[in-house]
Amino acid sequence: MKKILVIDDDPQIVDLIKSRLKANNYEVITALDGKEGLEKTKEEFPHLIILDIAMPRMDGYTFVLELRKDEKLKGLPVIILTAKDKMKELFGMEGLSHYLIKPFIAYELLKKVKELLENEQFCS
Amino acid sequence: MKKEFRVLMLEDNAGDAELIGRELAKIGFAFTIKRVETKGGFLSALKEFKPEMVLSDYNLPDFDGLSALAATKAECPDALFIFVSGAIGEERAIEALKSGATDYVLKDRLSRFVPAVERALQEIIQRDAGNKMQENLQVGEERFRAFMDNSPAVAFLKTHEGRYVYANKPFEVRFNLTRTDWLGKTDFEFWPAQMAKHLQENDQIVLASSRSVKSTESIPTPDGGLRSWLVFKFPVIDSGESPLIGGMAVDMTDQKRLETQLKQVVGELSRLNGELDRKNEDLKKLDKLKSEFISTVSHELRTPMAIMRESIAQVMDRLCGEVTALQQQRLHMSLSNIDRLRHIIDNLLDISKFESRKVELRKEWVDLPGLVKEVEFSFEEQFKSKCLQLRYSFSKNKIEVNADKDNLIQVFMNLISNAIKFTDRGYVEIFIGENEKEIECRVTDTGCGIRVEDLPKIFNKFEQFGRPDDPGKKGTGLGLCICKEIIKLHHGEIWVESRLGHGTTFTFTLPKLSIRELFEENLSRYLQNCSKETDCLSIIIFEIHNFHTIHQKLGLKMESLQEKFVRSIEQYLQLQAGEIIHNSRFILVILPGMSKENISIISDRIHQTLDDLLSKKHFGNKIKLTIKTAEYPQGGNNAQELLEKTDLI
């Protein structure tokens, strides 16, 4: 079973995404800010991360930068899920993250997740 | 021409006359001589001949010399009169000279005749010249007076003691003085003491320095006011012993008043300008606040909307248990309204971005027929469910324009979704065509059409016509407004034609930029943010040599080769900043921050990379590249100058 880490400072969003993913047979772990998210990533090695941008303690942008510094983690697929559309260009240039704007549509999120995990499997 | 003197000879003795004539001939003047013998002849000759010199015998049978002299003085007062006679005696001679004769010469001593006549003639000449000069002088002085009296300036002349010896008419008129008021008087005699003192002090400065002095004086007017005069005083040195003081003055009161008024107006203007600047600043702040407000509110709404949407979606997807048909229908209603809300927020954000001019176009080469086919995919379902036909009409398979692709997708999406929304039967047709100057796109439908009175409002914000019943399909009233803003940003035009009950056509145009204009536009955008002192920027332009021949041979392959060029340049530079703009013949690479020192190394390396690519593709000896660079600020101050420097386009 693929493991997905959901990082968002809104527990309701975390909850909803968790139940949606679980219903689609993914294992889900959660974090409420970037710092916690980074710790969980290092402990549990998820296959994919769904990430909010505006969060306390550590925001999503810093989280991605930290992730890219770590040789073992830098290839991890990240889906940015945010209310801020102006960050699109910034992450687009990284070339590694995928981007969805809230309010998201569940099947689009699932499609993206599926796509990325299949790719990842292919790579490894 | 030598002057001929008219000489009247009164002489009754022909022998004497001949003798005198001979003597006259010795004198270096030309003469017209008339001889008369009688009183009658003499008197009529005076009248008609108008002699300048009379040579008269003293004793004549019917006439005596003195009477002849008197007659001459009466008739020709300027004529010279010389007696040429036998002995007349001392007393008579004196009497003759007293009566006005010029001279007398005795016939037996004619040797005196020549000098006497010569002396007399000199006298005539001098007198004539004198007359002429007198005349000239008179004319000159009259002219001078007329000049001074008609001049708008006041003029005067004073002795070194300050006594007025001359003043022109304006002086008298403007200061309300008569000739007797000023002639030979000083300033103390007609101006208030303090003013007179001040004026004389100025006189002293002129005399002491022998230079002209300029001053501004307030001088009282007869009606008790004050007028402001600009006064020039200067030394006048003539043949007299002491220099005189000349003066000219111009009334500056009106100019002064205008100047003061002008100063006031300028002051007021700069105050208003400042106020305007402040208000402008306030407005800008307000505008920024508005944009920020819309942006913040929109973003803040997104998370709760996401929660609502996903909650409802999960219930509908039965993640939370069974749902009845009626519940399902109601949930669907909520969901489509949340989607509508999202749509409104997206549009609002777009509009606020366009209005705050924050939009930066990310231009690239976009193939419009290709783009329309991409868009079609999103409408497939809707065309099917409404049984509408989608027709295409493209003048060419590939029509490219340099534009922001996302923006153009938005325009087509908005126009096509509108067309579907208002059309129940028939078709929606998309036309794309081009001429030399522009590309024209049309979206035509066979729908309900728009009322004539609504047409002018169609591109306004929040205008909606003929709302459909399904809330999910309701528009935001912002779609066409966004289209207009996007087309405007691309320097194109958009308009609508419609017939109620027959259908509607939206048309927009996009100007085609020449490669030069395209390069200039993009380069200018970068240079806008450069300052001459602190920043540098370099450009490289590649041109494919013998482009037209090669293009004919290779056709479409050429374009894919060009794409490969661009990609390998991108790869080489790992472009963090800057941009590559190209068509199939030229490639422009903009490198902000790249200095003159580094650009030649970089461009050589790129050249090498491209040559390698060419030989790898076996084009090595067929295709040659020309490469040129230019640097800001050394090579030019603006896009135009930099491009000219490269000399390629």
Side-chain angles (χ1 to χ4, degrees):
Chain A
M1 198 188 274
K2 295 284 176 190
K3 198 191 279 179
I4 298 172
L5 170 60
V6 179
I7 312 171
D8 197 312
D9 64 330
D10 190 321
Q12 288 178 320
I13 292 274
V14 172
D15 237 33
L16 282 167
I17 296 175
K18 188 176 173 180
S19 26
R20 178 64 83 176
L21 291 173
K22 273 190 158 172
N24 285 274
N25 297 317
Y26 293 109
E27 186 190 339
V28 182
I29 50 173
T30 62
L32 289 172
D33 62 62
K35 221 173 173 82
E36 192 192 342
L38 205 62
E39 283 158 16
K40 288 252 168 94
T41 311
K42 286 174 179 167
E43 283 163 22
E44 308 216 17
F45 292 105
H47 297 90
L48 182 144
I49 297 166
I50 294 172
L51 177 71
D52 185 22
I53 294 296
M55 289 183 294
R57 294 222 289 168
M58 183 192 283
D59 64 16
Y61 186 62
T62 318
F63 175 86
V64 174
L65 290 181
E66 289 296 319
L67 206 66
R68 300 285 180 251
K69 276 188 205 160
D70 192 317
E71 275 302 317
K72 277 181 282 177
L73 304 174
K74 74 177 188 189
L76 258 180
V78 176
I79 297 174
I80 311 280
L81 182 62
T82 178
K84 299 239 185 279
D85 62 344
K86 53 186 157 196
M87 303 291 274
K88 193 173 170 182
E89 279 81 32
L90 202 56
F91 283 97
M93 274 177 69
E94 292 283 310
L96 291 160
S97 306
H98 300 265
Y99 208 88
L100 285 174
I101 295 173
K102 290 174 187 172
F104 58 96
I105 293 169
Y107 82 82
E108 281 178 4
L109 178 67
L110 288 170
K111 204 173 114 192
K112 198 113 253 173
V113 168
K114 200 169 163 227
E115 237 173 66
L116 288 171
L117 286 176
E118 272 166 13
N119 269 352
E120 195 236 10
Q121 210 164 22
F122 181 73
C123 286
S124 62
Chain B
M1 206 174 89
K2 218 167 171 188
K3 183 179 162 82
E4 276 195 16
F5 289 98
R6 294 185 299 280
V7 180
L8 180 60
M9 200 187 287
L10 180 59
E11 178 61 69
D12 59 347
N13 184 323
D16 282 354
E18 204 193 324
L19 223 61
I20 293 168
R22 223 176 285 149
E23 287 299 317
L24 273 177
K26 290 178 184 166
I27 301 170
F29 288 96
F31 299 99
T32 311
I33 303 167
K34 188 177 175 73
R35 185 164 74 93
V36 289
E37 295 177 20
T38 58
K39 181 183 177 183
F42 183 74
L43 292 178
S44 68
L46 279 180
K47 276 202 172 78
E48 285 148 26
F49 183 59
K50 299 250 178 251
E52 287 161 282
M53 182 160 70
V54 176
L55 303 174
S56 171
D57 200 353
Y58 197 83
N59 296 307
L60 289 156
D62 63 338
F63 205 23
D64 72 290
L66 283 177
S67 305
L69 176 61
T72 305
K73 286 287 156 207
E75 194 62 44
C76 305
D78 288 338
L80 299 178
F81 196 100
I82 301 175
F83 281 116
V84 185
S85 177
I88 52 172
E90 195 79 359
E91 246 170 69
R92 276 192 184 162
I94 288 168
E95 195 188 343
L97 290 176
K98 265 189 184 165
S99 311
T102 314
D103 208 342
Y104 72 89
V105 179
L106 297 176
K107 279 183 183 167
D108 51 359
R109 296 208 13 217
L110 268 180
S111 59
R112 258 206 75 235
F113 177 76
V114 172
V117 171
E118 270 177 349
R119 202 169 49 238
L121 287 176
Q122 285 306 335
E123 207 173 294
I124 295 180
I125 289 165
Q126 271 173 16
R127 192 190 61 204
D128 279 1
N131 280 347
K132 193 103 198 154
M133 213 149 79
Q134 190 69 28
E135 225 169 82
N136 283 348
L137 248 159
Q138 248 167 15
V139 170
E141 191 165 323
E142 262 165 43
R143 272 203 197 134
F144 171 73
R145 266 183 204 287
F147 173 73
M148 292 312 276
D149 289 345
N150 287 294
S151 131
V154 158
F156 55 84
L157 200 60
K158 302 181 199 186
T159 63
H160 70 284
E161 296 159 313
R163 296 195 180 279
Y164 283 84
V165 289
Y166 170 79
N168 67 352
K169 263 264 154 47
F171 181 93
E172 294 178 347
V173 174
R174 298 303 306 273
F175 301 143
N176 197 29
L177 297 167
T178 61
R179 193 175 160 78
T180 45
D181 288 333
W182 58 262
L183 187 61
K185 307 276 171 60
T186 67
D187 287 310
F188 284 96
E189 283 158 88
F190 50 86
W191 293 129
Q194 201 167 0
M195 195 178 105
K197 190 165 166 263
H198 171 71
L199 292 176
Q200 285 216 337
E201 275 165 10
N202 282 347
D203 293 353
Q204 289 315 308
I205 295 172
V206 173
L207 290 174
S209 66
S210 288
R211 299 244 293 270
S212 73
V213 169
K214 186 174 108 178
S215 66
T216 310
E217 310 293 350
S218 291
I219 294 179
T221 57
D223 57 17
L226 271 179
R227 291 188 80 83
S228 177
W229 292 82
L230 179 65
V231 185
F232 291 92
K233 283 183 181 173
F234 43 90
V236 177
I237 295 156
D238 63 0
S239 52
E241 278 171 27
S242 313
L244 299 168
I245 300 153
M248 306 219 56
V250 187
D251 188 343
M252 298 293 285
T253 316
D254 294 338
Q255 278 90 329
K256 266 251 152 104
R257 201 173 50 228
L258 281 175
E259 225 171 85
T260 320
Q261 278 174 354
L262 199 67
K263 263 187 203 152
Q264 277 172 355
V265 170
V266 168
E268 180 70 2
L269 260 177
S270 77
R271 193 183 64 78
L272 283 175
N273 225 354
E275 212 168 284
L276 210 63
D277 278 348
R278 268 195 304 282
K279 285 201 171 142
N280 225 343
E281 212 47 52
D282 287 351
L283 270 177
K284 269 188 200 156
K285 270 187 209 153
L286 210 64
D287 206 47
K288 200 168 161 240
L289 212 65
K290 185 193 87 176
S291 295
E292 275 170 8
F293 174 76
I294 291 177
S295 165
T296 312
V297 168
S298 307
H299 289 127
E300 287 308 315
L301 287 173
R302 284 179 187 277
T303 302
M305 262 163 55
I307 294 168
M308 276 155 65
R309 196 188 193 285
E310 182 54 14
S311 302
I312 292 165
Q314 288 191 9
V315 176
M316 283 175 79
D317 292 344
R318 296 182 167 77
L319 259 63
C320 316
E322 278 311 304
V323 186
T324 67
L326 186 63
Q327 283 168 344
Q328 189 77 12
Q329 193 213 338
R330 292 292 186 265
L331 289 171
H332 176 79
M333 212 190 275
S334 306
L335 209 62
S336 47
N337 272 295
I338 290 171
D339 286 343
R340 184 170 168 235
L341 206 58
R342 176 199 168 134
H343 200 52
I344 293 175
I345 286 171
D346 288 346
N347 282 349
L348 262 177
L349 273 170
D350 283 340
I351 287 281
S352 90
K353 262 188 247 162
F354 285 127
E355 283 184 345
S356 60
R357 285 172 188 74
K358 264 196 211 144
V359 190
E360 212 175 84
L361 297 180
R362 299 165 70 88
K363 285 194 178 178
E364 58 190 310
W365 287 105
V366 183
D367 169 36
L368 289 174
L371 179 132
V372 166
K373 291 203 173 132
E374 271 176 51
V375 172
E376 179 204 343
F377 182 72
S378 349
F379 294 108
E380 227 170 349
E381 275 304 308
Q382 294 181 53
F383 275 109
K384 249 186 231 165
S385 69
K386 283 188 103 171
C387 292
L388 294 175
Q389 215 189 333
L390 176 61
R391 294 183 186 173
Y392 292 126
S393 161
F394 303 144
S395 69
K396 272 192 341 199
N397 282 337
K398 193 169 184 184
I399 299 173
E400 282 197 308
V401 64
N402 196 260
D404 186 310
K405 189 176 175 183
D406 287 342
N407 276 342
L408 289 191
I409 289 178
Q410 212 174 348
V411 172
F412 275 112
M413 293 273 257
N414 282 339
L415 294 182
I416 296 171
S417 76
N418 268 348
I420 298 173
K421 203 186 297 175
F422 297 108
T423 308
D424 291 326
R425 67 181 76 87
Y427 61 87
V428 174
E429 185 182 82
I430 297 163
F431 164 85
I432 299 168
E434 64 176 338
N435 59 32
E436 265 175 30
K437 278 196 279 178
E438 57 192 17
I439 289 167
E440 190 174 300
C441 304
R442 286 199 293 266
V443 177
T444 304
D445 64 54
T446 52
C448 58
I450 303 159
R451 285 184 301 176
V452 183
E453 59 265 40
D454 291 336
L455 281 175
K457 294 181 277 185
I458 201 90
F459 292 105
N460 291 355
K461 248 187 278 182
F462 300 113
E463 290 286 356
Q464 294 195 75
F465 308 101
R467 288 158 172 260
D469 297 331
D470 186 344
K473 288 179 185 160
K474 268 185 194 166
T476 60
L478 292 168
L480 287 175
C481 177
I482 289 171
C483 290
K484 193 179 171 109
E485 293 289 345
I486 289 173
I487 299 302
K488 211 163 78 185
L489 269 174
H490 285 81
H491 307 293
E493 277 179 68
I494 185 166
W495 66 94
V496 62
E497 292 149 292
S498 186
R499 269 182 70 203
L500 202 62
H502 287 84
T504 305
T505 299
F506 280 92
T507 310
F508 66 88
T509 58
L510 296 167
K512 273 191 190 169
L513 295 183
S514 69
I515 190 70
R516 166 97 200 213
E517 287 168 322
L518 195 67
F519 284 4
E520 233 177 78
E521 187 189 282
N522 282 285
L523 193 51
S524 298
R525 191 156 44 82
Y526 277 92
L527 289 174
Q528 253 172 25
N529 304 321
C530 285
S531 103
K532 231 176 176 175
E533 285 73 34
T534 55
D535 296 320
C536 55
L537 180 150
S538 295
I539 59 169
I540 313 175
I541 294 182
F542 297 92
E543 184 190 4
I544 292 176
H545 221 60
N546 290 331
F547 171 76
H548 291 292
T549 332
I550 293 168
H551 191 255
Q552 262 174 6
K553 276 190 212 154
L554 291 179
L556 279 177
K557 253 196 226 164
M558 183 73 235
E559 274 160 42
S560 82
L561 186 69
Q562 187 75 331
E563 292 290 337
K564 284 198 182 84
F565 283 156
V566 171
R567 220 151 310 129
S568 50
I569 296 172
E570 265 171 0
Q571 240 165 38
Y572 175 77
L573 291 171
Q574 299 200 322
L575 231 56
Q576 282 118 341
E579 206 161 323
I580 302 176
I581 302 123
H582 70 102
N583 66 359
S584 46
R585 180 174 174 186
F586 292 100
I587 305 172
L588 166 70
V589 185
I590 303 174
L591 297 163
M594 181 71 68
S595 67
K596 193 173 163 55
E597 290 73 38
N598 296 327
I599 190 64
S600 58
I601 305 169
I602 299 278
S603 67
D604 283 351
R605 294 256 173 86
I606 295 177
H607 203 167
Q608 188 59 47
T609 313
L610 298 184
D611 278 346
D612 289 350
L613 181 81
L614 280 171
S615 51
K616 216 163 78 189
K617 300 269 172 196
H618 309 295
F619 286 124
N621 16 355
K622 288 179 209 135
I623 300 178
K624 288 269 172 294
L625 289 168
T626 310
I627 178 164
K628 286 278 171 73
T629 61
E631 311 83 20
Y632 169 88
Q634 298 94 330
N637 287 318
N638 52 45
Q640 217 175 346
E641 286 176 16
L642 284 179
L643 290 174
E644 239 141 61
K645 182 102 193 298
T646 65
D647 208 25
L648 275 184
I649 305 174

